[in-house]
Amino acid sequence: MIYTITLNPAIDLAIETKSLKSGVVNRTNFYDIQPNGKGVNVSIILKRLNVDNVALGIGGGFTLDFISDSLTSKGIANKFWRVDQPTRINVFTKVVSTGEEFKEVNPGPTIPQSLQEELLMYLKQHVTCDDWIIVSGSFSRGISPSYLEDIAKISKEVNCGLVIDSSYKGVLDVLKYKPYLIKPNEEELLEWFDDEDMDDKNLDKLIKYGQNLIERGARNVLLSLGAEGACLITDTNVYVGNAPKIKLQNSAGSGDTMLGTFMGEIINKIPMLEAFKRSIAAGSDTAQSTGLTDFKAVSELGKQIKITCYSK
């Protein structure tokens, strides 16, 4: 079984408006409401690839009810530990006249230590060596980045697969547990290595940092390069794939789609480079949609993608 963990779930409100002006009523063209949180998105993508999974997390309120009910309606088993405060609502606004995209992301509720311990105990009692743990996204208030290492210790004890997609520098402390996959984006990778020149996203430099993650214990690194595509770094090779040309609608969830697709295809025994290619195509399709990809356009988008073996 695959267990996804979302420690700061959300409802995403995606809005498209012709213009956005201060001090006046801005009428929208349409809006879309989706359950969210990076692990929640991964669970949905896995299910669309016919990979059964269990979505785990912590949250509260009517907003968490919406997320749980949405997952259940999609046939995704889920278990959330509940607090009194409501799970957050994030807003993503696309302004047609300017082509701008605004992202308003709220903090999550405060999570007591007792619930954090309950989630860890659940993992100890249910996860086996045949399973996967996928930890994705930010943490709600009250959860330390060191919680990643608590989860990693459990994965090592039971010898299951571990996948991490989180911005915290604490990811570096997990590398010694030899996770199967780490999925940073450019900004996260630069921050982890205390690179002060955040505008310098030279591919050679990024790959060097990614290879350092491999040297420190990660088995694979899936590096998101945004509109430039992605990079897959293994212990033997580095592969680069370009992004297909699309009209950006909403970039929220595109990285989660990439991760979910890559892992879903790996679990479905698809060759790694084909899984890599399909993950880029699926992430791009989510970026040109209001919600997560339904995979109908993935094959066509894949025709624009070329995977090359990197050489400096």
Side-chain angles (χ1 to χ4, degrees):
M1 181 58 69
I2 295 86
Y3 296 90
T4 69
I5 300 178
T6 307
L7 295 169
N8 200 7
I11 290 177
D12 274 7
L13 171 61
I15 297 170
E16 181 183 280
T17 181
K18 182 178 180 180
S19 61
L20 190 62
K21 298 178 180 179
S22 174
V24 300
V25 174
N26 294 279
R27 301 291 180 183
T28 64
N29 295 337
F30 66 84
Y31 67 90
D32 184 58
I33 301 173
Q34 296 288 341
N36 198 272
K38 295 176 75 64
V40 168
N41 286 338
V42 171
S43 277
I44 294 171
I45 292 297
L46 287 172
K47 186 63 176 180
R48 290 180 181 176
L49 291 170
N50 298 313
V51 177
D52 287 334
N53 66 92
V54 178
L56 305 176
I58 305 177
F62 74 97
T63 42
L64 183 62
D65 292 339
F66 174 81
I67 294 169
S68 180
D69 291 345
S70 295
L71 290 169
T72 300
S73 70
K74 293 175 172 60
I76 301 170
N78 59 91
K79 180 176 177 60
F80 290 92
W81 286 261
R82 302 187 70 95
V83 295
D84 294 333
Q85 298 169 302
T87 285
R88 61 193 177 139
I89 300 175
N90 298 327
V91 182
F92 300 86
T93 305
K94 176 67 180 296
V95 183
V96 177
S97 61
T98 63
E100 294 176 296
E101 181 185 21
F102 295 92
K103 303 179 182 181
E104 294 99 9
V105 177
N106 292 303
T110 301
I111 308 300
Q113 185 67 31
S114 59
L115 291 190
Q116 298 176 44
E117 293 295 334
E118 287 185 27
L119 194 158
L120 293 176
M121 183 57 65
Y122 178 92
L123 294 176
K124 291 178 181 179
Q125 294 174 344
H126 290 82
V127 178
T128 71
C129 61
D130 297 322
D131 297 332
W132 293 84
I133 297 175
I134 301 178
V135 188
S136 297
S138 64
F139 295 173
S140 292
R141 288 173 290 189
I143 303 179
S144 167
S146 64
Y147 197 68
L148 282 172
E149 191 167 0
D150 295 333
I151 295 172
K153 288 178 181 177
I154 295 172
S155 75
K156 184 174 178 60
E157 290 171 3
V158 301
N159 195 31
C160 73
L162 177 64
V163 176
I164 296 178
D165 176 13
S166 185
S167 62
Y168 299 114
K169 195 173 181 179
V171 171
L172 299 179
D173 297 325
V174 175
L175 298 178
K176 59 179 174 284
Y177 298 97
K178 301 188 183 304
Y180 176 79
L181 182 73
I182 301 294
K183 195 209 125 332
N185 59 32
E186 302 158 295
E187 290 80 10
E188 291 165 349
L189 195 58
L190 292 172
E191 288 179 0
W192 292 351
F193 286 91
D194 299 318
D195 193 315
E196 296 181 356
D197 191 355
M198 298 297 291
D199 293 326
D200 179 15
K201 298 175 182 177
N202 177 274
L203 184 59
D204 292 339
K205 180 173 70 172
L206 292 170
I207 288 175
K208 180 181 178 181
Y209 288 154
Q211 289 175 320
N212 183 271
L213 299 180
I214 298 289
E215 292 169 1
R216 294 165 72 167
R219 294 172 58 191
N220 300 283
V221 175
L222 182 60
L223 172 60
S224 174
L225 302 173
E228 300 302 315
C231 182
L232 175 63
I233 304 171
T234 72
D235 60 347
T236 56
N237 290 297
V238 176
Y239 302 97
V240 178
N242 64 291
K245 294 181 179 179
I246 61 167
K247 182 179 179 181
L248 178 65
Q249 176 66 36
N250 179 13
S251 61
S254 58
D256 310 330
T257 300
M258 177 183 290
L259 175 60
T261 301
F262 182 81
M263 288 308 305
E265 299 293 38
I266 291 295
I267 292 167
N268 284 332
K269 308 299 183 183
I270 300 298
M272 180 173 280
L273 291 188
E274 181 61 25
F276 178 45
K277 183 177 183 179
R278 283 180 58 80
S279 73
I280 297 173
S284 298
D285 191 35
T286 288
Q288 70 177 359
S289 310
T290 56
L292 301 177
T293 180
D294 58 8
F295 288 94
K296 293 179 180 178
V298 166
S299 294
E300 193 63 29
L301 289 171
K303 295 176 182 178
Q304 299 182 46
I305 301 171
K306 183 179 180 181
I307 305 300
T308 58
C309 190
Y310 170 85
S311 60
K312 186 173 179 180

